[in-house]
């Protein structure tokens, strides 16, 4: 049913357009009355009657000329089949008022296209153009738009993102249609269906919403091994009696094993579980890396279990160079001219005396049951001295794990773990990664330089005679020693580089200017190689120094404990903080507090109460 009409002027004529939208019925009588109100005679009634009869949109010339004054007119051409609305706009005549963008949009909202996309920019531009140029204008005002779903896959196909624009007068996909769209774009796995339903029902624009995600691959676990013996010497050290003395007859040495004893168990690598990307393709899992059992000397694989390492002989199991071996112990009476210096790949036990001037080198442990005087001992494991050592200022004790003895006097001592004496550590240059301790209730440490990563402990530190004793904790000694060596090395390298560089530059200047004779050319090439190598060396050492300095900053703070007295003459260094002991302090625990070495709060409070 035709519901409204409008009159507009064009080319000196008045036209009538009958419309399919509006608020009333269109009759010839109402049209005749409207034209009469303009002071014009209505002619050409037949086409109008035909349009009304056929209930069909039409444009008919109804009078000529148009009135002198007429408001600007617009009308909307609705194309239901095509889903579009075309606006036809005509300028006012005489004193008539122009049509506005607002009127056009509001009239559109009264039609069945009220939820469609409206091109307000086009409306605004055409209204301005029509009113300015006094020319009619026709333009696309609105159109139905269906919902838009756009899918984006990540490069690795592990996620899919969804952009959604809701419909504007058009249709939207249902849930199944949305799934088919995802499938069409390759997304077939890991779809978040609940989220998809929320997006379709939201009625608003959604951007870059993750709608599908892959199932990650579970990578395999690398093979690992478990030591079934005390591989790292964690149980070494003398047993402490009830009277607080050390029992050097019970040293806690690594256990002996019988032939066939289980040493190492391997946990095999796993293959892992493949994942699936959003396109349904597999994400391969990386299988765990396999490893071999650390089979060394005198060990083998058990016949009925390929993941078990067993001893093939009786002896002491040790870890050497990443391999597990079973050492058969070398036992001697005395170390003297009858044996010469000893270099043994296992463990060494000396029943008698180790005489001055001789040396023992063992990859395992060294156990000396009698006195040692002026000898050098080097062990990959621990050094155990039941009666101690008089070093005479020339002995070196170097252990990969612990140095344990009754007393140590005038020696250079290095331990990869700890140095433990029962009675005394005297005038020795001592360095241990973990602890230096005199365990006896009257044990003492005095004279020399003692360094430990975590703890220096004794009943008495220093002596009543104020013997100069330097105690240093909080820095792993090997780091400090390597740092000193690197600084000395880089100083020399820089000096050599400066000399070589100056000569190289001088020869290069001559070479570029006049060339060089053969002997000078050879020298020039030698210097070029040398300066390059020195420069590389300096860069490597500089990098190593930076790494060592970083290691220093992460070392434990360390502490010094004197369970009875620490005497004047002792200098305590904890990392970079120093303190000279100027009067005796009883039951002292010294720790680092900022730039200072101080008594711990607990001990200080106990002293004040006393």
């Amino acid at each position: 049913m035709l519901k409204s009409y409008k009159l507009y002027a064009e080319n000196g004529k008045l036209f009538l357009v009958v419309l399919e939208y509006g608020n009333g019925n269109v009759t010839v009588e109402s049209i005749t009355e409207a034209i009469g109100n303009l002071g014009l005679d209505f002619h050409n009634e037949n086409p109008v009657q035909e349009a009304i009869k056929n209930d069909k949109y039409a444009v008919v010339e109804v009078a000529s000329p148009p009135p002198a004054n007429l408001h600007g007119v617009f009308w909307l051409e609705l194309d239901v089949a095509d889903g579009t609305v075309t606006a036809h706009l005509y300028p006012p005549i005489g004193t008539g008022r122009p049509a506005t963008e607002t009127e056009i949009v509001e009239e559109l909202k009264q039609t069945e296209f009220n939820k469609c996309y409206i091109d307000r920019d086009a409306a605004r531009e055409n209204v301005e153009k029509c009113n300015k140029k006094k020319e009619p204008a026709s333009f696309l005002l609105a159109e139905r738009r269906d919902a838009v779903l756009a899918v984006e896959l990540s490069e690795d196909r592990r996620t899919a993102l969804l952009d959604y624009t809701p419909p504007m007068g058009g249709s939207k996909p249902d849930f199944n249609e949305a799934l088919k769209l995802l499938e069409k774009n390759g997304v077939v796995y890991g779809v978040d269906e609940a989220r998809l339903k929320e997006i379709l029902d939201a009625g608003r624009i959604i951007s870059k919403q993750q709608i599908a995600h892959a199932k990650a691959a579970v990578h395999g676990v690398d093979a690992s091994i478990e030591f079934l013996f005390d591989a790292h010497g964690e149980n070494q050290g003398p047993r402490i009696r009830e009277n607080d003395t050390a029992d050097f007859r019970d040293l806690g040495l690594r256990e002996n094993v019988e032939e066939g004893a289980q040493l190492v168990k391997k946990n095999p690598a796993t293959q892992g579980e493949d994942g699936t990307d959003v396109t349904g393709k597999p994400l391969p899992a990386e299988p765990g890396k396999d490893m071999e059992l650390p089979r060394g000397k005198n060990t083998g694989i058990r016949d009925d279990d390929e993941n078990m390492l067993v001893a093939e002989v009786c002896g002491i199991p040790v870890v050497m160079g990443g391999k597990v071996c079973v050492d058969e112990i070398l036992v001697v009476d005395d170390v003297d001219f009858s044996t010469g210096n000893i270099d043994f790949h296992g463990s060494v036990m000396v029943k008698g005396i180790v005489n001055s001037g001789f040396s023992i080198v063992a990859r395992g442990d060294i156990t000396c049951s009698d006195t040692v005087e002026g000898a050098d001992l080097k062990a990959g494991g621990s050094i155990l001295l039941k009666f101690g050592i008089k070093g005479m200022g020339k002995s070196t004790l170097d252990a990969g794990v612990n140095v344990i003895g009754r007393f140590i006097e005038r020696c250079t001592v290095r331990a990869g773990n700890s140095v433990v004496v029962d009675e005394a550590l005297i005038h020795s240059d001592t360095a241990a990664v973990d602890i230096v301790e005199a365990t006896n209730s009257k044990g003492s440490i005095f004279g020399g330089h003692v360094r430990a990563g975590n703890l220096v402990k004794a009943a008495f530190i220093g002596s009543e005679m104020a013997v100069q004793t330097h105690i240093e904790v909080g820095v792993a000694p090997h780091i400090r020693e390597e740092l000193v060596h690197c600084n000395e090395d880089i100083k020399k390298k820089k000096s050599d580089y400066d000399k070589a560089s100056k000569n190289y530059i001088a020869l290069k200047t001559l070479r570029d200017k006049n060339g060089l004779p053969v002997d000078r050319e050879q020298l020039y090439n030698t210097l070029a190689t040398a300066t390059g190598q020195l420069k590389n060396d300096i860069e490597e050492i500089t990098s190593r120094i930076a790494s060592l300095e970083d290691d220093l900053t992460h070392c434990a703070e360390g502490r010094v404990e004197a369970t009875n007295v620490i005497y004047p003459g002792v200098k305590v260094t904890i990392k970079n903080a120093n303190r000279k002991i100027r009067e005796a302090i009883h039951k002292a625990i010294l720790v680092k507090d900022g730039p200072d070495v101080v008594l711990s709060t607990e001990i200080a409070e106990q002293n004040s109460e006393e």
Side-chain angles (χ1 to χ4, degrees):
M1 178 182 293
L2 297 175
K3 295 183 178 181
S4 64
Y5 65 90
K6 292 193 178 183
L7 298 169
Y8 67 92
E10 184 178 22
N11 299 325
K13 298 177 182 180
L14 184 67
F15 289 88
L16 169 75
V17 56
V18 286
L19 305 170
E20 297 173 315
Y21 67 89
N23 297 319
N25 296 325
V26 179
T27 65
V28 173
E29 290 77 11
S30 62
I31 295 173
T32 301
E33 181 181 354
I35 294 174
N37 291 337
L38 295 175
L40 302 175
D41 293 326
F42 179 31
H43 64 81
N44 214 6
E45 291 183 10
N46 290 336
V48 174
Q49 290 177 339
E50 186 70 16
I52 293 173
K53 180 181 178 181
N54 295 329
D55 196 22
K56 185 177 180 182
Y57 155 87
V59 177
V60 181
E61 176 190 343
V62 293
S64 178
N69 298 301
L70 185 66
H71 293 320
V73 176
F74 68 90
W75 51 276
L76 306 179
E77 182 179 350
L78 310 181
D79 190 336
V80 176
D82 198 37
T84 61
V85 177
T86 302
H88 301 280
L89 180 63
Y90 296 89
I93 299 175
T95 60
R97 177 180 59 78
T100 67
E101 171 195 350
T102 301
E103 292 173 331
I104 296 173
V105 172
E106 287 301 315
E107 186 160 308
L108 175 67
K109 290 182 178 179
Q110 303 307 313
T111 73
E112 61 187 280
F113 287 81
N114 61 340
K115 294 183 178 180
C116 294
Y117 168 76
I118 302 174
D119 192 344
R120 293 178 179 271
D121 291 336
R124 182 172 55 258
E125 292 171 3
N126 281 278
V127 166
E128 291 175 358
K129 178 180 177 182
C130 175
N131 294 330
K132 183 176 181 180
K133 294 186 176 182
K134 304 298 181 182
E135 295 178 354
S138 295
F139 59 93
L140 183 66
L141 174 63
E143 61 181 347
R144 289 196 184 102
R145 289 189 177 180
D146 295 335
V148 177
L149 283 172
V151 182
E152 178 182 345
L153 295 181
S154 62
E155 288 186 3
D156 58 7
R157 304 190 310 278
R158 292 176 184 267
T159 58
L161 304 179
L162 184 68
D163 290 338
Y164 175 68
T165 302
M168 302 182 74
S171 63
K172 74 172 185 178
D174 62 21
F175 177 73
N176 290 328
E177 289 171 336
L179 286 178
K180 289 180 180 179
L181 177 65
L182 289 172
E183 183 177 352
K184 183 178 179 181
N185 284 272
V187 181
V188 297
Y189 182 86
V191 176
D192 187 343
E193 295 186 356
R195 183 59 183 141
L196 181 59
K197 291 178 180 178
E198 291 175 2
I199 291 172
L200 295 175
D201 295 336
R204 57 186 175 84
I205 295 176
I206 304 291
S207 297
K208 306 300 181 185
Q209 176 67 51
Q210 181 173 302
I211 200 62
H213 57 86
K215 175 187 175 184
V218 179
H219 298 305
V221 178
D222 293 346
S224 61
I225 59 173
E226 296 178 36
F227 291 102
L228 305 179
F229 66 99
D230 186 15
H232 305 295
E234 296 174 354
N235 298 320
Q236 286 192 28
R239 181 178 64 84
I240 305 301
R241 301 188 184 97
E242 292 182 0
N243 61 1
D244 201 27
T245 61
D247 182 2
F248 282 89
R249 291 185 177 85
D250 183 4
L251 298 173
L253 192 61
R254 296 171 183 167
E255 70 269 30
N256 287 297
V257 295
E258 300 293 331
E259 181 180 350
Q262 298 179 359
L263 302 176
V264 182
K265 175 185 176 182
K266 182 174 82 168
N267 299 310
T270 62
Q271 290 301 308
E273 180 182 348
D274 289 348
T276 306
D277 69 23
V278 297
T279 69
K281 294 180 180 178
L283 292 171
E286 294 181 6
K289 296 179 181 178
D290 196 13
M291 66 182 302
E292 294 182 356
L293 282 165
R295 180 180 180 181
K297 181 182 177 182
N298 295 329
T299 64
I301 308 300
R302 200 164 78 178
D303 292 337
D304 61 348
D305 187 354
E306 63 180 9
N307 295 314
M308 184 67 70
L309 188 71
V310 297
E312 291 184 335
V313 297
C314 298
I316 296 177
V318 293
V319 179
M320 296 186 294
K323 302 292 185 181
V324 173
C325 306
V326 176
D327 281 341
E328 296 173 280
I329 303 171
L330 173 65
V331 180
V332 297
D333 291 324
D334 295 325
V335 177
D336 52 22
F337 286 104
S338 66
T339 61
N341 293 327
I342 294 175
D343 187 352
F344 185 62
H345 290 182
S347 296
V348 175
M349 177 177 288
V350 182
K351 295 181 178 179
I353 297 171
V354 181
N355 287 281
S356 179
F358 289 91
S359 67
I360 301 175
V361 177
R363 291 186 181 178
D365 300 319
I366 297 174
T367 302
C368 298
S369 300
D370 208 333
T371 58
V372 180
E373 293 185 355
D376 292 331
L377 308 180
K378 183 174 183 180
S382 295
I383 296 174
L384 310 172
L385 307 170
K386 293 185 178 181
F387 280 90
I389 179 171
K390 292 183 178 180
M392 305 177 187
K394 59 183 181 181
S395 287
T396 296
L397 304 177
D398 188 348
V401 185
N402 298 322
V403 175
I404 302 172
R406 180 179 171 187
F407 69 89
I408 297 174
E409 180 180 347
R410 297 187 184 278
C411 293
T412 297
V413 186
R414 299 290 180 267
N417 190 36
S418 298
V419 175
V420 180
V421 296
D422 182 24
E423 297 176 357
L425 176 61
I426 306 166
H427 292 294
S428 293
D429 179 5
T430 305
V433 171
D434 188 11
I435 295 171
V436 175
E437 182 177 6
T439 59
N440 193 290
S441 60
K442 296 182 180 179
S444 61
I445 296 174
F446 64 88
H449 189 180
V450 178
R451 288 161 288 167
N454 293 309
L455 173 67
V456 173
K457 181 177 181 180
F460 299 90
I461 299 179
S463 72
E464 293 178 336
M465 302 301 293
V467 173
Q468 295 299 306
T469 306
H470 188 184
I471 306 295
E472 185 177 357
V473 294
V475 174
H478 67 283
I479 296 178
R480 181 77 77 187
E481 290 173 359
E482 185 180 354
L483 188 59
V484 170
H485 175 74
C486 285
N487 282 321
E488 292 173 351
D489 196 16
I490 200 170
K491 182 178 180 181
K492 183 177 183 304
K493 296 280 188 184
K494 286 181 176 180
S495 176
D496 293 344
Y497 176 81
D498 289 341
K499 293 176 184 177
S501 180
K502 287 177 182 178
N503 291 332
Y504 169 75
I505 292 171
L507 285 175
K508 187 176 186 304
T509 301
L510 293 174
R511 185 174 184 264
D512 292 343
K513 187 175 181 181
N514 300 315
L516 294 173
V518 175
D519 58 337
R520 291 281 180 155
E521 182 70 24
Q522 291 176 347
L523 178 59
Y524 169 81
N525 292 331
T526 300
L527 287 171
T529 301
T531 53
Q533 184 60 52
L534 286 167
K535 184 178 180 181
N536 290 336
D537 292 346
I538 291 169
E539 290 175 353
E540 290 178 3
I541 297 172
T542 300
S543 175
R544 181 57 181 160
I545 288 173
S547 176
L548 290 170
E549 289 176 342
D550 183 66
D551 289 344
L552 286 178
T553 62
H554 292 90
C555 286
E557 291 292 340
R559 52 198 267 153
V560 177
E561 295 187 26
T563 58
N564 200 318
V565 182
I566 184 168
Y567 290 103
V570 176
K571 177 182 177 182
V572 176
T573 299
I574 302 180
K575 281 197 169 182
N576 58 348
N578 296 288
R579 177 171 177 171
K580 290 185 178 179
I581 307 302
R582 303 189 185 281
E583 59 182 20
I585 305 174
H586 293 269
K587 296 182 180 179
I589 294 180
L590 297 172
V591 296
K592 184 177 183 293
D593 184 9
D596 300 315
V597 175
V598 300
L599 286 170
S600 74
T601 305
E602 180 183 358
I603 295 300
E605 290 176 351
Q606 291 175 354
N607 287 344
S608 65
E609 292 173 359
E610 293 176 358

